[in-house]
Amino acid sequence: MNWKIASALGALSLAAVTTSASAADLAARPYTKAPPMIAAIYDWSGFYIGANGGYGSSRKCWDQIAGFGAGVAEGCHDATGAVAGGQVGYRWQSSAFVFGLEAQGDWADLHGRNASAILGVENRTRIDAFGLFTGQVGYAWNNALLYVKGGAAVTSDRYRGAGTGGLAGAEFDRADETRWGAAVGVGFEYGFAPNWSVGLEYDHLFMGRHDVTLTSNGALAPVGTFSRTDRIKQDVDLITARINYRFGGPVIAKY
C-alpha cells in the first residue's frame, strides 16, 4: 500500500516539474505599440445632385429704338421674386484645392413693371426660368469649402406692354425671349454628414442688351402686327441656399 502512495506522489512531482519547465521555456509576450491616431479628412471628390431655393432680382431698362416712341428711354424697373430648382455636378479634389463642373436649372417668378416715359404705357417683365453652366475652383478646410464659379447663363424672359389710366391693366403687345449671357458667383458649402452638404451661394448674371420686337396681342391691332422694338438691358442677382448629396466615399484616412 505504501508503495502505491509513493508512486502517486512521485508522478505528481514529475508533472509539476514538467509544467514549470514548459512555462519557463515560453517567450515573454512582445510589446506592441498602440496604433497611431487617424484623422478623418472630408473628401469633396465625386458626382453630386441637389436642390436649391432663394431670391432673385433682375434690373431691366427699356430704350425704344423703333415704333410709336422711337428714341425714348422708357425707364427701368426691378423684377424680383422667388427661385427654386436643382443642380448636378462633379468635383475632384487635389490637396486642399477643389475643382468642379455644374449644371443648374431653376423655375423663377421674377416679375416687375414701370410706367414708361411714353404716356399711357406700362412696361412689364418676367423671368420664369434660368439655367447656369459653370466651372468651379475652391479651397477646402476639411469639410468646409469656399469656391468661386463662372460660365454661361440662360434666361427665359417675357415682355409685355399694358395701358394706364382708363386702359389700366389691359395688355396690348408682347414678346418672349430666350437670352444667353455670362455668370459669375461665389459660394460656401459645409459637409454636415459623410455624403451631405449645405451651402449658400451668390450669383450675378450679365445678360447684356438685346433688341426685342414686341407685336400686338390683338387688343389694339391684329395679332402679330408690329408694335415697337426696345433695346432692353438686363442683369440678374441671385441668392440661393443649397443642399447636395454626393456619391462616393465620405472620407480619406490620414495618419
Side-chain angles (χ1 to χ4, degrees), residues 171-183:
E171 294 185 354
F172 60 86
D173 62 4
R174 61 191 298 166
D176 296 333
E177 177 192 36
T178 298
R179 183 182 294 211
W180 286 87

PDB file of all heavy atoms in Angstrom, residues 171-183:
ATOM      1  N   GLU A 171     -53.279  94.565 -71.494  1.00  0.00           N
ATOM      2  CA  GLU A 171     -52.055  94.342 -72.271  1.00  0.00           C
ATOM      3  C   GLU A 171     -52.356  94.481 -73.760  1.00  0.00           C
ATOM      4  O   GLU A 171     -53.395  94.021 -74.245  1.00  0.00           O
ATOM      5  CB  GLU A 171     -51.481  92.963 -71.971  1.00  0.00           C
ATOM      6  CG  GLU A 171     -50.986  92.829 -70.528  1.00  0.00           C
ATOM      7  CD  GLU A 171     -50.304  91.491 -70.265  1.00  0.00           C
ATOM      8  OE1 GLU A 171     -50.316  90.633 -71.170  1.00  0.00           O
ATOM      9  OE2 GLU A 171     -49.762  91.318 -69.156  1.00  0.00           O
ATOM     10  N   PHE A 172     -51.423  95.111 -74.493  1.00  0.00           N
ATOM     11  CA  PHE A 172     -51.638  95.322 -75.922  1.00  0.00           C
ATOM     12  C   PHE A 172     -50.504  94.797 -76.801  1.00  0.00           C
ATOM     13  O   PHE A 172     -50.698  94.603 -78.001  1.00  0.00           O
ATOM     14  CB  PHE A 172     -51.886  96.805 -76.219  1.00  0.00           C
ATOM     15  CG  PHE A 172     -50.756  97.718 -75.818  1.00  0.00           C
ATOM     16  CD1 PHE A 172     -49.686  97.944 -76.675  1.00  0.00           C
ATOM     17  CD2 PHE A 172     -50.759  98.340 -74.587  1.00  0.00           C
ATOM     18  CE1 PHE A 172     -48.644  98.779 -76.313  1.00  0.00           C
ATOM     19  CE2 PHE A 172     -49.729  99.192 -74.219  1.00  0.00           C
ATOM     20  CZ  PHE A 172     -48.667  99.414 -75.073  1.00  0.00           C
ATOM     21  N   ASP A 173     -49.283  94.604 -76.262  1.00  0.00           N
ATOM     22  CA  ASP A 173     -48.234  93.977 -77.072  1.00  0.00           C
ATOM     23  C   ASP A 173     -47.382  93.080 -76.189  1.00  0.00           C
ATOM     24  O   ASP A 173     -47.430  93.147 -74.947  1.00  0.00           O
ATOM     25  CB  ASP A 173     -47.403  95.008 -77.853  1.00  0.00           C
ATOM     26  CG  ASP A 173     -46.640  95.985 -76.962  1.00  0.00           C
ATOM     27  OD1 ASP A 173     -46.686  95.843 -75.720  1.00  0.00           O
ATOM     28  OD2 ASP A 173     -45.996  96.896 -77.511  1.00  0.00           O
ATOM     29  N   ARG A 174     -46.586  92.232 -76.853  1.00  0.00           N
ATOM     30  CA  ARG A 174     -45.868  91.203 -76.092  1.00  0.00           C
ATOM     31  C   ARG A 174     -44.690  90.657 -76.891  1.00  0.00           C
ATOM     32  O   ARG A 174     -44.621  90.785 -78.121  1.00  0.00           O
ATOM     33  CB  ARG A 174     -46.814  90.052 -75.755  1.00  0.00           C
ATOM     34  CG  ARG A 174     -47.388  89.358 -76.995  1.00  0.00           C
ATOM     35  CD  ARG A 174     -48.512  88.411 -76.629  1.00  0.00           C
ATOM     36  NE  ARG A 174     -48.024  87.351 -75.752  1.00  0.00           N
ATOM     37  CZ  ARG A 174     -48.825  86.543 -75.065  1.00  0.00           C
ATOM     38  NH1 ARG A 174     -50.150  86.684 -75.146  1.00  0.00           N
ATOM     39  NH2 ARG A 174     -48.323  85.595 -74.316  1.00  0.00           N
ATOM     40  N   ALA A 175     -43.756  90.025 -76.173  1.00  0.00           N
ATOM     41  CA  ALA A 175     -42.641  89.299 -76.784  1.00  0.00           C
ATOM     42  C   ALA A 175     -42.098  88.317 -75.747  1.00  0.00           C
ATOM     43  O   ALA A 175     -42.138  88.577 -74.543  1.00  0.00           O
ATOM     44  CB  ALA A 175     -41.533  90.244 -77.249  1.00  0.00           C
ATOM     45  N   ASP A 176     -41.610  87.184 -76.231  1.00  0.00           N
ATOM     46  CA  ASP A 176     -40.941  86.187 -75.393  1.00  0.00           C
ATOM     47  C   ASP A 176     -39.537  85.972 -75.952  1.00  0.00           C
ATOM     48  O   ASP A 176     -39.321  86.032 -77.164  1.00  0.00           O
ATOM     49  CB  ASP A 176     -41.701  84.856 -75.388  1.00  0.00           C
ATOM     50  CG  ASP A 176     -43.077  84.991 -74.760  1.00  0.00           C
ATOM     51  OD1 ASP A 176     -43.264  85.878 -73.912  1.00  0.00           O
ATOM     52  OD2 ASP A 176     -43.972  84.192 -75.110  1.00  0.00           O
ATOM     53  N   GLU A 177     -38.592  85.694 -75.063  1.00  0.00           N
ATOM     54  CA  GLU A 177     -37.206  85.578 -75.496  1.00  0.00           C
ATOM     55  C   GLU A 177     -36.446  84.593 -74.619  1.00  0.00           C
ATOM     56  O   GLU A 177     -36.663  84.521 -73.405  1.00  0.00           O
ATOM     57  CB  GLU A 177     -36.526  86.951 -75.407  1.00  0.00           C
ATOM     58  CG  GLU A 177     -35.048  86.936 -75.765  1.00  0.00           C
ATOM     59  CD  GLU A 177     -34.349  88.233 -75.392  1.00  0.00           C
ATOM     60  OE1 GLU A 177     -34.690  88.825 -74.353  1.00  0.00           O
ATOM     61  OE2 GLU A 177     -33.434  88.632 -76.134  1.00  0.00           O
ATOM     62  N   THR A 178     -35.536  83.854 -75.252  1.00  0.00           N
ATOM     63  CA  THR A 178     -34.520  83.087 -74.529  1.00  0.00           C
ATOM     64  C   THR A 178     -33.202  83.821 -74.710  1.00  0.00           C
ATOM     65  O   THR A 178     -32.730  84.000 -75.832  1.00  0.00           O
ATOM     66  CB  THR A 178     -34.404  81.650 -75.082  1.00  0.00           C
ATOM     67  OG1 THR A 178     -35.653  80.984 -74.897  1.00  0.00           O
ATOM     68  CG2 THR A 178     -33.310  80.886 -74.353  1.00  0.00           C
ATOM     69  N   ARG A 179     -32.620  84.269 -73.581  1.00  0.00           N
ATOM     70  CA  ARG A 179     -31.445  85.130 -73.657  1.00  0.00           C
ATOM     71  C   ARG A 179     -30.240  84.442 -73.016  1.00  0.00           C
ATOM     72  O   ARG A 179     -30.336  83.909 -71.907  1.00  0.00           O
ATOM     73  CB  ARG A 179     -31.715  86.458 -72.944  1.00  0.00           C
ATOM     74  CG  ARG A 179     -30.567  87.449 -73.022  1.00  0.00           C
ATOM     75  CD  ARG A 179     -30.869  88.741 -72.264  1.00  0.00           C
ATOM     76  NE  ARG A 179     -31.954  89.510 -72.855  1.00  0.00           N
ATOM     77  CZ  ARG A 179     -32.035  90.839 -72.808  1.00  0.00           C
ATOM     78  NH1 ARG A 179     -31.079  91.551 -72.217  1.00  0.00           N
ATOM     79  NH2 ARG A 179     -33.052  91.466 -73.343  1.00  0.00           N
ATOM     80  N   TRP A 180     -29.114  84.479 -73.712  1.00  0.00           N
ATOM     81  CA  TRP A 180     -27.861  83.900 -73.210  1.00  0.00           C
ATOM     82  C   TRP A 180     -26.925  84.998 -72.724  1.00  0.00           C
ATOM     83  O   TRP A 180     -26.907  86.094 -73.285  1.00  0.00           O
ATOM     84  CB  TRP A 180     -27.164  83.078 -74.286  1.00  0.00           C
ATOM     85  CG  TRP A 180     -27.837  81.760 -74.548  1.00  0.00           C
ATOM     86  CD1 TRP A 180     -28.864  81.518 -75.410  1.00  0.00           C
ATOM     87  CD2 TRP A 180     -27.537  80.515 -73.922  1.00  0.00           C
ATOM     88  NE1 TRP A 180     -29.220  80.198 -75.369  1.00  0.00           N
ATOM     89  CE2 TRP A 180     -28.423  79.548 -74.460  1.00  0.00           C
ATOM     90  CE3 TRP A 180     -26.612  80.109 -72.963  1.00  0.00           C
ATOM     91  CZ2 TRP A 180     -28.400  78.225 -74.062  1.00  0.00           C
ATOM     92  CZ3 TRP A 180     -26.590  78.777 -72.574  1.00  0.00           C
ATOM     93  CH2 TRP A 180     -27.478  77.850 -73.116  1.00  0.00           C
ATOM     94  N   GLY A 181     -26.169  84.680 -71.670  1.00  0.00           N
ATOM     95  CA  GLY A 181     -25.206  85.616 -71.134  1.00  0.00           C
ATOM     96  C   GLY A 181     -24.129  84.899 -70.344  1.00  0.00           C
ATOM     97  O   GLY A 181     -23.862  83.716 -70.567  1.00  0.00           O
ATOM     98  N   ALA A 182     -23.526  85.611 -69.418  1.00  0.00           N
ATOM     99  CA  ALA A 182     -22.436  85.059 -68.601  1.00  0.00           C
ATOM    100  C   ALA A 182     -22.812  85.129 -67.127  1.00  0.00           C
ATOM    101  O   ALA A 182     -23.622  85.964 -66.711  1.00  0.00           O
ATOM    102  CB  ALA A 182     -21.143  85.823 -68.854  1.00  0.00           C
ATOM    103  N   ALA A 183     -22.200  84.245 -66.338  1.00  0.00           N
ATOM    104  CA  ALA A 183     -22.478  84.195 -64.903  1.00  0.00           C
ATOM    105  C   ALA A 183     -21.176  84.090 -64.120  1.00  0.00           C
ATOM    106  O   ALA A 183     -20.235  83.400 -64.542  1.00  0.00           O
ATOM    107  CB  ALA A 183     -23.372  82.999 -64.571  1.00  0.00           C
TER     108      ALA A 183
END
